[in-house]
Amino acid sequence: QKTAYEIKECDWSSDVCSSDLCRSLLLTMAGGAEGVTAKALLEAGGGTFVYTDILLVAKELLASGAIQESRKGRKATWVAGS
């Protein structure tokens, strides 16, 4: 049985899940010179996804090596993997 954090919230007006949109945006923004933070993703997403979407997607992308994480205190910045 899946937990609430593992269930994808889908936008049924299209066939695209919020986590798919989050993944695409995270990968695009992580490729920039400064990388990307969760706050920047939330703002860029305009309400399309929530913070838990970002954390789940980041965890998957970190595990696959697609992104890398750097931290300053509690603030994580993700950059494209090498």
Side-chain angles (χ1 to χ4, degrees):
Q1 186 176 17
K2 291 185 176 185
T3 68
Y5 293 104
E6 295 170 316
I7 298 171
K8 290 183 178 181
E9 289 292 328
C10 288
D11 173 6
W12 298 110
S13 63
S14 67
D15 288 329
V16 180
C17 289
S18 60
S19 59
D20 295 334
L21 295 170
C22 180
R23 181 177 293 102
S24 176
L25 188 57
L26 195 158
L27 287 170
T28 299
M29 293 179 73
E34 299 295 317
V36 64
T37 63
K39 182 179 178 181
L41 281 168
L42 282 172
E43 291 170 359
T48 306
F49 43 83
V50 295
Y51 187 70
T52 52
D53 288 328
I54 294 170
L55 295 180
L56 289 172
V57 167
K59 182 178 177 180
E60 291 172 11
L61 294 174
L62 285 165
S64 74
I67 61 171
Q68 296 177 343
E69 180 178 272
S70 65
R71 286 193 168 267
K72 291 185 181 176
R74 294 184 62 197
K75 180 180 176 183
T77 301
W78 298 295
V79 295
S82 54

